[in-house]
Amino acid sequence: MEQYDMTPRTDLAVEAREMLTRRVKEDVPGVRVETLKDEELTITRVEISTPEAERMMGKERGKYVTIESPGMRYKNALLEEKMMHAVAQEFGQIIDLPRHSTILVVGLGNWNVTPDALGPRAVKKVVVTRHLKSMISPELQDGVRAVCAISPGVLGITGMETAEIVHGIVSQVQPSLVIAIDALAAASTHRVVTTVQIANTGIHPGSGIGSKRFGLTQKSLGVPVIAVGVPTVVHASTIAMDTLDTLQKYSPFSKYFKSLQNISDVDRRTIINQVLPETLGDLMVTPKEVDRMIDDVADVVAGGINQALHPNIDYENIHMYLH
Amino acid sequence: MEQYDMTPRTDLAVEAREMLTRRVKEDVPGVRVETLKDEELTITRVEISTPEAERMMGKERGKYVTIESPGMRYKNALLEEKMMHAVAQEFGQIIDLPRHSTILVVGLGNWNVTPDALGPRAVKKVVVTRHLKSMISPELQDGVRAVCAISPGVLGITGMETAEIVHGIVSQVQPSLVIAIDALAAASTHRVVTTVQIANTGIHPGSGIGSKRFGLTQKSLGVPVIAVGVPTVVHASTIAMDTLDTLQKYSPFSKYFKSLQNISDVDRRTIINQVLPETLGDLMVTPKEVDRMIDDVADVVAGGINQALHPNIDYENIHMYLH
Amino acid sequence: MEQYDMTPRTDLAVEAREMLTRRVKEDVPGVRVETLKDEELTITRVEISTPEAERMMGKERGKYVTIESPGMRYKNALLEEKMMHAVAQEFGQIIDLPRHSTILVVGLGNWNVTPDALGPRAVKKVVVTRHLKSMISPELQDGVRAVCAISPGVLGITGMETAEIVHGIVSQVQPSLVIAIDALAAASTHRVVTTVQIANTGIHPGSGIGSKRFGLTQKSLGVPVIAVGVPTVVHASTIAMDTLDTLQKYSPFSKYFKSLQNISDVDRRTIINQVLPETLGDLMVTPKEVDRMIDDVADVVAGGINQALHPNIDYENIHMYLH
Amino acid sequence: MEQYDMTPRTDLAVEAREMLTRRVKEDVPGVRVETLKDEELTITRVEISTPEAERMMGKERGKYVTIESPGMRYKNALLEEKMMHAVAQEFGQIIDLPRHSTILVVGLGNWNVTPDALGPRAVKKVVVTRHLKSMISPELQDGVRAVCAISPGVLGITGMETAEIVHGIVSQVQPSLVIAIDALAAASTHRVVTTVQIANTGIHPGSGIGSKRFGLTQKSLGVPVIAVGVPTVVHASTIAMDTLDTLQKYSPFSKYFKSLQNISDVDRRTIINQVLPETLGDLMVTPKEVDRMIDDVADVVAGGINQALHPNIDYENIHMYLH
C-alpha cells in the first residue's frame, strides 16, 4: 500500500473512508455507507464488500459500525447510558448470537500504559457467567449466555504473542464467538475517546496501539471474532502531517500555497523524520485526562457488551438466580 | 482420608510429615527425609516413594524440598539473597533442564487478594526471554533459555478454570517444563512467609489458598510441572484446633487434661463449627504486614527461578546480547 | 483496663455492649441502646454518656450507630442501595451539617493490604467538589457542600503519623467537619463486612486494623470528627478465645465443663500465647473473598456519605452545574 | 511573556537556554553555563543570576543541573547506576544538607496517568526513615537523616491544591528541606525520559505536566525546595511547531523557504489551532513504552536521592541498625 504511505494511520473505517473520499472525490464501488444521527450520537455503518474496495480503503472486507459522541469527553452519566444502549443495539445487528452460546471476551493491550489499557479495563467490567451456568436453575438458563473473559497481556510482559494465548484458550474453551476489545489509533484528535467501533472482521496485524504482529480473525481462530475498539491516541506523525496539510489547504495561507502544493511525498517523509526521530520508538498523542476518559468509555464498552449478551438479566442480582 | 479430617490442613510436605510422626511415632516406610541446616536456613528434602506413604502423608508421590528461614519475616537483603541462591540450587536438583528448553511460568492465585497474590507478583519479576531469542546472536543463544510467563487469574475473575487456560497455552506454546507458583496454606503460623517449597509433583486439586478444583500435573498437561509455593496463610480452623491441642497437651493445663483427652473428633468438629460459622466462606489467618512480606518472598522466588533458568546471564543487561 | 484483657478486641460499640451485658447481666447506667429492625437491616444506636459507662464499655463517651445486614456477604445491588440510604440517614442523625460547610474525608489504612484498604477504596468513590465550587453558578451553590478527600497512607509508607498529616491539612483547609473512614476489627466473624459503624467520637489510639498510635478527635483536630468504620477482620486471638468459650459454654460439652469453668485468665493467656506466637506480629483473620466484599461495602460507605453530604445533587451529572 | 508565545514549552532550563541562544545568537549576561561530558552522560549546570536573565530565559533565578543520557531509553542497569551516582553527586552540589535534618520528599502528579506518575512512583522507592530514628542506637544516628515522603495526589482527585496539602504537612513536620519530584514537559522529544533536572528554585506555577496553579518554593513554604524532574512528554503543539521550523530551516526544503520565512507568529498560532482543536484539553506526546521507561528513570531519581540523603547507609539492611 505504498501509495497511501503519507495517509495518517487510522484504525477506524469511517476515517479511512473520509480520506478516500477526499482523494478520489467520488463514491467508491463496494463501499456502502449509512449514517444515523441525533443531537448527541452519530452512528455510521460502513460495509466493504469487494477486493477493490478493500484495497482502496486499506481495510478488510466486512462491516464496521462507529458510534460517536463528542460529549463523551466530559463526565455525563446520561450520555454514557445512551451510548451504551447504542453499542448493545449495534452489536446485536452485526452478529446473530444463538441463545446458548459460549462467548470469550479478550481485553487486548498493556494494562500498565494508560492509553493502551482500554481492553483490560473493560474486561474487568464484563459480567462473567460461564462458571455459574451449572448453578443456575434450569428454567432460567435460557436467559444467560456463558461468558468468560481474559486480558492476556502483551508480548513484552508474557514473552508470548497475544494470538498464541488466545488461540490456546479458544481450542480449550471452544467458544462460539470471540469479542476482542482494543485501544485504537485515530487519524483525527476529535475522535479520541469519543468513538466506539464495532467490526465483524476481527483484529488485524498492525492495528491497535501496540501494532499487533498477528491477527485475531475467524480465519486464524476458527470462530467469528467481533472487534470492539475505541481510539485513545493519534500517532505523533499525524500531528506533523496535519500541520503540513493545514499549511497547504487553508486559505489564510494561500500566500505560501503555490510552492507548498508541490511538496513531494518523499519530502514530507523527510520533514516528519526530522521532527520525529525514531529513537524513542513510536510516539503517541493522547489527552492529559486520558485516565478518566478511558474509564468512562470502558464503562460504555463493557456495559454495551453486557447488555447485548444477557438481554434478560439484571446483572448485579445475578446471584438470585443461583440455587 | 476420613481419618485425617481433624488434622490441620497444610500444603507443605514437611508439615504433613511432622504430623504423621506425631501420630505414628516411628519412621514411615516410603518417606525419606534429609535435612541440611546452618544458622539461617533449614533445607528439608522429603521424598515420598510408595502408595502407602502417599496415603499416610496425604501427599502425592514425588520430591518436596522446603527452604525455611525465620529471618524472612524481617526485611533483610543479605538473607534474601542467600535464600534466593538456595532456591536456585534446590530447583536445579529437582529437575534437570536441557539447555534449549522453552519454559512456561504460571502465577496462580488472585492478584486482588494480598495473601493469594504471591504467584502473580512473582511472575512480574520473572525475566521473560522467549520473544527475544530470535534477536540474540547465535553464539550467545546457548546461555539463554526461552522463558514465557502468565498470571491467568482465578475462576471468579475469568469464568474459566486456571487449568483450562494453562492447558490451552501449553498446547500452543509447547514448553518442555511448566513452573507453577502459588500461595499455600501452612499448618503452623511460624512457617507463613518464611518457607519456600519446591515440588516435582505439580499442583493438585484442593491445594493452595483458592483450593483448586483441578490440578496442574504432568499427567494433565503432558509436560513436567514444578510447583513453587510459599505459605501465606493458615486456615482459621487451624487456630481453633491448635487451641484444643494446647489445652490437651501442655502440662500447665494438666488439671483439665483428664476430661479433655477424650474429646472425640466429632465433638472437635462441632466446637470448631460453633466458632467458625461458614457464612463468610473460608476464613484465612495472615500477618498484618502480609503485603511487604509477600513482596520480599516473591523476590526470593522469582530471583531463584531466574538464576536457575539462566545461570550465565546478567539479566538486567540482557539487552546487550541483542543485535 | 487490665480486667478486660481477655475480652476479644472489638472496635464496635455494639459488641462491647453485648460483652458487657454477658458479664454484668444487667443494664449499665449511662449506656442507652435503641434497636430498629426489619427483615434485612438491623440498626443499633448506642449512646455512652457517663465516665463510669465509658470505663465499663472500654469506649469513649458519644454516639455509635451500627447498620448491619448479613446479606452484605453476597453481591446484592438492591440491598447495597438500601444500606447506603440507611448510612446516609443515620449519618444525618449523628451530625447536623450546615449548608455551606467544607468537609474533609480521610481514608485511613494501608491500600496495599486488602483488609486494611477500606478507607482508601471508599475515598476513591467519594465525590469531591471543593475545587469545583467556584465554578458552580451562584443559584445552585446552596445544594453543594465543599468536599475534599485524601488517603494519607500509613506510618511505614510515609514516615509520618497519619495524625500529623491530617492535622497539617486541617490547619490549612480549615474544614468544619472531618470524616474518617477506617477498617475495623470485630469480635465476631459474622460482623465482618456486614456492618457499618458511624460514631461521633472520632478515631482513638489503638483502634482500627493498624492500631493507631494517635487519635483523630475533636480534641486533637479542633473540629468534629465522624468515624465511619467497617470490620474487615477479627484478631486471631479471638478465634482461640472463642474456642475456649465454646468449650465452656455449650451444652454438648458439659462433660468437660466442670474442670474448664475454672480456667483462669492467666491460663487462658498462656494457652493463647502457645497457639499464637508473636513472631509474625499480629495475625488477622479475614474471609478469602475479602477483596470483593470490601469493594461492595466501600460502595455502601462512600455512597452513603455522598448522599448525606449532597442531598440535592445527581453526582454523575455535576458537570452540568458548572458554567 | 507575550514575545515567547510561539516558543515550544519546556520545563528544562537547558532547553530554554538553547532556544534563547538560537534567538539572540550571543551569550546572555546573567546566564552561566557549564558542561561536563563523557561517552554516556552529559551534565549541564545552568545558573541564572539576574532579573534580566530571568526574564529572557523565562525561568526563575537559581541553579539548574541536567544529567542526560540517551542510553536511558533502553534498559541498562549499569548506565542506570552511573546516572544514579551522578544525580546523588549533583544533588549534593546544589544543596548543603546538615547531618541531622528532617527532609520531606513530595511526589507530584497523578498516579493514574502513566506519564504524570513519575513523582508517585519515585516516592515509593524513597527510603523513609523518620519513624525509625528513635529506634536507632545513638552511636549510629549520625549517619541517618530523618526522611519522610508523600504523594499528595492532584486537584481533581483530592479537591485540594497540592500546595495546600504540602503546606499543611510542612507546618506540622517542620522539615529543613522539601524535595519535590515531578514529571516535566520538554521541548524536544529526544530529552523525554533521558534527562533528570535538579533545581534549587522549587516548583513554579504552570510547570509540570499538570500545569500547577500554585508553586512550591522557599517563599511559599518557608524552607528550601529542591525540584527533581524528568521530562516524560512534549506538548502536541511542539510537534506542530517543529514541523513548521523544519520546513523553514532545513536546506532540502529551501525551495519552499522563501515564502515560508515570513510566516508570522499569528499565522503560526492559527495553523496550530487548526491542527490541535482544544476540545480534548491539552494533548501530550509520549513514547509507547512510557511505562517501562518511567519505572527505570524513577529508579534513578529515587536511588540518587537515597544516596544523597544517607551516604553512609546500606539501605536494605537498615533494620540491622535498629535495636
Side-chain angles (χ1 to χ4, degrees):
Chain A
M1 302 194 192
E2 185 68 5
Q3 75 270 42
Y4 304 137
D5 206 28
M6 296 317 300
T7 311
R9 283 145 70 189
T10 180
D11 293 315
L12 297 176
V14 71
E15 289 189 338
R17 195 257 177 180
E18 283 170 5
M19 293 178 219
L20 182 59
T21 310
R22 248 178 279 153
R23 280 203 311 275
V24 306
K25 321 265 180 208
E26 63 186 28
D27 271 12
V28 175
V31 180
R32 211 164 57 87
V33 181
E34 188 182 358
T35 306
L36 292 160
K37 242 183 141 146
D38 70 12
E39 268 173 48
E40 291 171 315
L41 296 188
T42 305
I43 295 174
T44 312
R45 299 182 188 129
V46 176
E47 186 165 359
I48 303 175
S49 52
T50 65
E52 172 65 10
E54 188 175 289
R55 199 187 57 79
M56 292 192 71
M57 290 278 285
K59 298 265 162 255
E60 301 287 314
R61 260 169 292 177
K63 294 181 181 180
Y64 302 81
V65 187
T66 50
I67 301 140
E68 291 180 61
S69 176
M72 279 298 295
R73 272 168 218 135
Y74 315 103
K75 185 82 199 155
N76 182 337
L78 297 178
L79 179 59
E80 274 178 36
E81 212 172 306
K82 188 171 172 183
M83 203 151 165
M84 209 179 279
H85 286 299
V87 168
Q89 208 148 352
E90 294 301 317
F91 195 95
Q93 297 272 326
I94 219 164
I95 182 116
D96 192 28
L97 275 180
R99 274 198 184 182
H100 297 283
S101 40
T102 292
I103 291 126
L104 172 64
V105 184
V106 181
L108 302 174
N110 186 342
W111 46 73
N112 289 324
V113 176
T114 317
D116 199 22
L118 174 85
R121 291 199 191 181
V123 153
K124 273 194 195 165
K125 298 169 183 178
V126 165
V127 176
V128 157
T129 53
R130 180 169 171 266
H131 59 309
L132 303 173
K133 274 218 82 170
S134 60
M135 292 183 280
I136 294 176
S137 52
E139 68 275 20
L140 289 163
Q141 292 230 358
D142 258 22
V144 184
R145 291 192 180 92
V147 176
C148 51
I150 194 167
S151 293
V154 294
L155 184 64
I157 289 177
T158 62
M160 295 177 278
E161 293 289 344
T162 306
E164 291 180 294
I165 299 173
V166 175
H167 205 284
I169 294 172
V170 164
S171 72
Q172 200 65 20
V173 172
Q174 308 224 326
S176 44
L177 175 70
V178 169
I179 301 173
I181 308 176
D182 200 7
L184 306 177
S188 67
T189 54
H190 74 264
R191 282 211 175 82
V192 168
V193 304
T194 66
T195 300
V196 176
Q197 174 175 277
I198 306 167
N200 69 357
T201 56
I203 302 277
H204 287 274
S207 61
I209 294 188
S211 294
K212 276 84 204 161
R213 301 201 297 185
F214 294 100
L216 294 177
T217 62
Q218 175 144 22
K219 207 173 147 191
S220 69
L221 293 179
V223 293
V225 181
I226 301 292
V228 182
V230 175
T232 61
V233 302
V234 299
H235 290 284
S237 56
T238 304
I239 304 289
M241 280 187 280
D242 283 0
T243 308
L244 295 179
D245 281 352
T246 305
L247 260 186
Q248 286 181 269
K249 285 180 199 144
Y250 286 93
S251 53
F253 311 115
S254 56
K255 46 188 165 181
Y256 320 120
F257 183 77
K258 288 251 163 60
S259 52
L260 277 165
Q261 65 185 333
N262 305 314
I263 304 182
S264 69
D265 277 359
V266 173
D267 282 353
R268 278 169 163 257
R269 176 56 64 202
T270 310
I271 293 165
I272 286 161
N273 285 348
Q274 293 277 3
V275 175
L276 298 173
E278 279 173 28
T279 42
L280 272 181
D282 260 346
L283 293 166
M284 55 189 182
V285 181
T286 197
K288 280 193 187 160
E289 288 193 60
V290 61
D291 176 61
R292 186 205 39 82
M293 288 169 171
I294 282 186
D295 268 354
D296 291 350
V297 79
D299 279 345
V300 166
V301 166
I305 290 174
N306 286 337
Q307 268 179 41
L309 298 185
H310 306 296
N312 305 319
I313 290 266
D314 176 357
Y315 296 90
E316 305 224 307
N317 292 305
I318 204 165
H319 71 99
M320 296 187 200
Y321 291 84
L322 309 178
H323 41 197
Chain B
M1 301 197 194
E2 184 68 6
Q3 76 269 41
Y4 304 136
D5 206 28
M6 295 317 298
T7 311
R9 283 144 71 188
T10 178
D11 294 315
L12 297 177
V14 72
E15 289 189 338
R17 195 258 177 178
E18 284 171 3
M19 294 179 218
L20 182 59
T21 309
R22 248 178 280 156
R23 281 202 312 273
V24 303
K25 319 263 181 211
E26 62 187 31
D27 271 11
V28 175
V31 180
R32 209 163 58 88
V33 181
E34 187 183 358
T35 305
L36 293 160
K37 241 184 142 147
D38 69 12
E39 268 174 48
E40 293 172 313
L41 297 188
T42 306
I43 296 175
T44 313
R45 300 186 187 125
V46 176
E47 185 163 359
I48 303 174
S49 54
T50 66
E52 173 65 9
E54 185 175 292
R55 200 189 56 78
M56 292 192 71
M57 290 278 286
K59 297 270 164 250
E60 301 288 314
R61 258 168 294 175
K63 295 182 181 177
Y64 302 80
V65 188
T66 50
I67 301 141
E68 291 181 61
S69 176
M72 280 298 296
R73 275 169 216 131
Y74 316 104
K75 183 85 198 156
N76 181 338
L78 296 178
L79 180 58
E80 275 178 35
E81 213 172 305
K82 188 173 171 179
M83 204 154 167
M84 208 180 278
H85 286 300
V87 168
Q89 208 149 351
E90 295 301 318
F91 195 95
Q93 298 272 326
I94 220 165
I95 182 121
D96 191 28
L97 274 181
R99 273 197 183 182
H100 297 281
S101 42
T102 292
I103 291 127
L104 172 64
V105 184
V106 180
L108 302 174
N110 186 342
W111 46 74
N112 289 326
V113 175
T114 317
D116 199 20
L118 174 85
R121 290 198 193 183
V123 152
K124 271 193 196 167
K125 297 168 184 179
V126 166
V127 175
V128 157
T129 53
R130 181 171 170 265
H131 58 309
L132 303 174
K133 274 219 81 168
S134 60
M135 291 183 280
I136 293 176
S137 50
E139 68 276 17
L140 290 163
Q141 292 229 1
D142 257 22
V144 184
R145 291 193 181 90
V147 176
C148 52
I150 193 166
S151 292
V154 295
L155 186 63
I157 288 178
T158 62
M160 295 177 277
E161 293 289 344
T162 306
E164 291 180 294
I165 298 173
V166 176
H167 206 287
I169 294 172
V170 164
S171 71
Q172 200 65 20
V173 170
Q174 309 223 324
S176 42
L177 175 70
V178 169
I179 301 173
I181 308 174
D182 200 7
L184 306 176
S188 69
T189 55
H190 74 264
R191 282 214 175 80
V192 168
V193 304
T194 66
T195 301
V196 177
Q197 174 175 276
I198 307 168
N200 69 357
T201 56
I203 302 276
H204 287 274
S207 60
I209 295 189
S211 295
K212 277 83 203 165
R213 302 199 297 184
F214 294 101
L216 293 177
T217 62
Q218 175 146 21
K219 207 173 147 190
S220 70
L221 293 180
V223 293
V225 181
I226 302 292
V228 182
V230 174
T232 61
V233 303
V234 300
H235 290 284
S237 56
T238 303
I239 303 287
M241 277 186 281
D242 283 0
T243 309
L244 294 179
D245 281 350
T246 304
L247 259 187
Q248 285 181 270
K249 284 175 203 150
Y250 285 92
S251 55
F253 313 116
S254 56
K255 49 189 163 180
Y256 320 122
F257 183 77
K258 290 249 163 61
S259 54
L260 275 167
Q261 65 186 328
N262 306 314
I263 303 182
S264 69
D265 277 358
V266 172
D267 281 354
R268 278 167 164 257
R269 175 60 61 206
T270 312
I271 293 165
I272 286 160
N273 286 348
Q274 293 276 4
V275 176
L276 299 172
E278 280 174 26
T279 42
L280 271 181
D282 259 346
L283 292 167
M284 56 189 178
V285 181
T286 197
K288 278 191 188 162
E289 287 193 61
V290 62
D291 176 60
R292 186 205 38 84
M293 289 169 170
I294 283 187
D295 268 354
D296 291 350
V297 80
D299 279 344
V300 167
V301 167
I305 290 174
N306 286 337
Q307 268 178 41
L309 297 185
H310 307 294
N312 304 317
I313 290 266
D314 175 357
Y315 295 90
E316 304 223 307
N317 293 303
I318 204 166
H319 70 99
M320 295 186 201
Y321 293 84
L322 309 179
H323 41 198
Chain C
M1 301 195 193
E2 186 68 5
Q3 74 270 41
Y4 303 137
D5 206 29
M6 293 319 299
T7 313
R9 284 146 69 190
T10 179
D11 295 313
L12 297 177
V14 72
E15 288 188 339
R17 196 257 176 178
E18 284 171 5
M19 294 179 219
L20 183 61
T21 309
R22 250 177 279 154
R23 281 202 311 275
V24 304
K25 320 262 180 214
E26 62 186 30
D27 270 10
V28 175
V31 180
R32 211 163 57 86
V33 180
E34 188 182 359
T35 305
L36 293 160
K37 243 183 140 145
D38 70 12
E39 268 173 49
E40 291 172 315
L41 296 189
T42 306
I43 295 174
T44 313
R45 299 183 188 128
V46 176
E47 185 163 0
I48 303 174
S49 54
T50 65
E52 173 65 10
E54 186 175 289
R55 200 188 55 79
M56 293 191 71
M57 289 279 285
K59 297 267 163 252
E60 302 287 313
R61 258 168 294 177
K63 295 181 181 178
Y64 302 80
V65 188
T66 49
I67 301 139
E68 290 180 62
S69 176
M72 279 299 294
R73 272 169 220 134
Y74 316 102
K75 186 83 198 156
N76 181 336
L78 296 178
L79 180 58
E80 275 179 35
E81 211 173 308
K82 188 172 171 182
M83 204 156 167
M84 208 181 281
H85 286 299
V87 168
Q89 208 148 351
E90 293 302 317
F91 194 95
Q93 297 272 327
I94 220 165
I95 181 117
D96 192 27
L97 273 181
R99 273 199 185 179
H100 297 282
S101 42
T102 292
I103 291 126
L104 173 64
V105 184
V106 181
L108 301 174
N110 186 343
W111 46 74
N112 289 325
V113 176
T114 317
D116 200 21
L118 174 85
R121 290 199 192 181
V123 153
K124 271 194 197 167
K125 297 170 182 177
V126 165
V127 176
V128 157
T129 53
R130 180 171 170 265
H131 59 308
L132 303 174
K133 274 220 81 169
S134 59
M135 291 183 281
I136 294 174
S137 51
E139 68 277 18
L140 289 164
Q141 293 230 358
D142 258 22
V144 184
R145 291 192 181 92
V147 176
C148 51
I150 194 166
S151 294
V154 295
L155 185 63
I157 288 179
T158 63
M160 296 177 277
E161 293 289 345
T162 306
E164 291 181 294
I165 299 173
V166 175
H167 206 285
I169 294 172
V170 164
S171 72
Q172 199 65 20
V173 170
Q174 309 225 325
S176 42
L177 175 69
V178 169
I179 301 172
I181 308 174
D182 201 7
L184 306 177
S188 67
T189 55
H190 74 264
R191 282 209 174 84
V192 168
V193 304
T194 66
T195 301
V196 177
Q197 175 175 275
I198 306 168
N200 68 358
T201 56
I203 302 277
H204 287 274
S207 61
I209 294 187
S211 294
K212 276 84 205 164
R213 300 200 299 183
F214 295 99
L216 293 177
T217 62
Q218 175 144 21
K219 208 173 147 188
S220 69
L221 292 179
V223 294
V225 181
I226 302 291
V228 182
V230 175
T232 60
V233 302
V234 301
H235 290 284
S237 57
T238 304
I239 303 289
M241 280 189 279
D242 284 0
T243 308
L244 295 179
D245 281 352
T246 304
L247 260 185
Q248 284 183 271
K249 285 178 201 147
Y250 287 91
S251 55
F253 312 114
S254 56
K255 47 188 164 179
Y256 319 119
F257 183 78
K258 287 250 162 61
S259 53
L260 276 165
Q261 65 187 330
N262 306 313
I263 303 183
S264 70
D265 277 359
V266 173
D267 282 353
R268 279 169 163 254
R269 175 58 62 200
T270 311
I271 294 166
I272 285 161
N273 286 348
Q274 294 276 4
V275 176
L276 298 172
E278 278 173 27
T279 42
L280 271 182
D282 261 346
L283 292 167
M284 54 190 183
V285 181
T286 197
K288 280 193 188 161
E289 288 194 60
V290 61
D291 175 61
R292 187 206 37 85
M293 288 170 171
I294 282 188
D295 267 355
D296 291 351
V297 81
D299 278 346
V300 166
V301 166
I305 290 174
N306 286 337
Q307 266 178 42
L309 298 185
H310 308 294
N312 305 319
I313 290 268
D314 175 356
Y315 296 90
E316 303 225 307
N317 292 304
I318 205 167
H319 72 99
M320 295 187 200
Y321 292 83
L322 308 179
H323 40 197
Chain D
M1 303 198 194
E2 185 69 5
Q3 75 270 39
Y4 305 136
D5 208 27
M6 294 318 298
T7 311
R9 283 147 69 189
T10 179
D11 293 316
L12 297 177
V14 72
E15 289 188 338
R17 195 257 178 179
E18 284 171 4
M19 294 178 217
L20 183 59
T21 308
R22 248 178 281 155
R23 280 204 311 275
V24 304
K25 321 262 180 211
E26 63 186 29
D27 271 11
V28 176
V31 179
R32 210 161 59 85
V33 181
E34 190 182 355
T35 306
L36 292 161
K37 242 182 140 143
D38 68 12
E39 267 173 49
E40 290 172 316
L41 296 188
T42 305
I43 296 175
T44 312
R45 300 184 187 127
V46 176
E47 184 165 0
I48 303 175
S49 54
T50 65
E52 173 63 9
E54 186 174 291
R55 199 188 57 76
M56 291 191 70
M57 290 278 286
K59 297 269 163 251
E60 300 288 312
R61 259 169 293 176
K63 294 181 181 178
Y64 302 81
V65 187
T66 49
I67 300 139
E68 291 180 61
S69 177
M72 281 296 296
R73 272 167 219 134
Y74 315 103
K75 186 84 197 154
N76 181 339
L78 296 178
L79 180 59
E80 274 180 36
E81 213 173 305
K82 187 172 172 182
M83 204 155 165
M84 210 181 276
H85 287 298
V87 168
Q89 207 150 349
E90 294 301 317
F91 195 94
Q93 297 272 327
I94 220 166
I95 182 118
D96 192 27
L97 274 181
R99 273 199 185 179
H100 297 281
S101 42
T102 293
I103 291 127
L104 172 64
V105 184
V106 181
L108 303 174
N110 187 342
W111 48 72
N112 289 325
V113 176
T114 317
D116 199 21
L118 174 85
R121 290 199 192 182
V123 153
K124 270 192 196 167
K125 298 169 184 178
V126 165
V127 176
V128 157
T129 53
R130 181 172 170 264
H131 60 307
L132 304 174
K133 274 220 82 168
S134 59
M135 290 183 281
I136 293 175
S137 52
E139 67 277 18
L140 289 164
Q141 292 230 358
D142 258 23
V144 184
R145 292 194 179 90
V147 177
C148 51
I150 193 168
S151 293
V154 294
L155 186 63
I157 288 177
T158 62
M160 295 178 278
E161 293 289 345
T162 306
E164 291 181 295
I165 298 173
V166 176
H167 206 287
I169 294 172
V170 165
S171 71
Q172 200 66 20
V173 170
Q174 308 222 326
S176 43
L177 176 69
V178 169
I179 300 173
I181 308 175
D182 200 7
L184 306 177
S188 67
T189 54
H190 73 265
R191 283 214 175 79
V192 168
V193 305
T194 66
T195 300
V196 176
Q197 174 174 275
I198 307 168
N200 68 358
T201 56
I203 301 277
H204 289 273
S207 60
I209 295 190
S211 294
K212 277 83 203 165
R213 301 201 298 184
F214 294 100
L216 293 177
T217 61
Q218 175 145 21
K219 208 174 147 187
S220 69
L221 293 179
V223 293
V225 181
I226 302 290
V228 182
V230 175
T232 61
V233 302
V234 299
H235 290 285
S237 57
T238 303
I239 303 287
M241 278 186 283
D242 283 1
T243 308
L244 294 179
D245 282 351
T246 304
L247 260 187
Q248 284 182 271
K249 282 174 202 151
Y250 286 92
S251 54
F253 313 115
S254 56
K255 48 188 164 181
Y256 319 120
F257 183 78
K258 288 247 163 63
S259 51
L260 275 167
Q261 66 186 327
N262 306 314
I263 303 181
S264 69
D265 278 0
V266 173
D267 281 355
R268 278 168 163 259
R269 174 60 60 205
T270 312
I271 293 165
I272 286 160
N273 286 347
Q274 294 275 4
V275 175
L276 298 172
E278 280 174 26
T279 41
L280 271 180
D282 260 346
L283 292 167
M284 56 191 180
V285 181
T286 198
K288 278 190 188 164
E289 287 192 62
V290 62
D291 176 59
R292 187 208 33 89
M293 288 171 172
I294 282 187
D295 267 355
D296 291 350
V297 80
D299 279 345
V300 166
V301 165
I305 290 173
N306 286 339
Q307 268 179 39
L309 298 184
H310 307 296
N312 305 317
I313 291 266
D314 175 357
Y315 295 91
E316 303 223 307
N317 291 304
I318 205 165
H319 71 98
M320 296 186 200
Y321 292 84
L322 309 179
H323 41 196

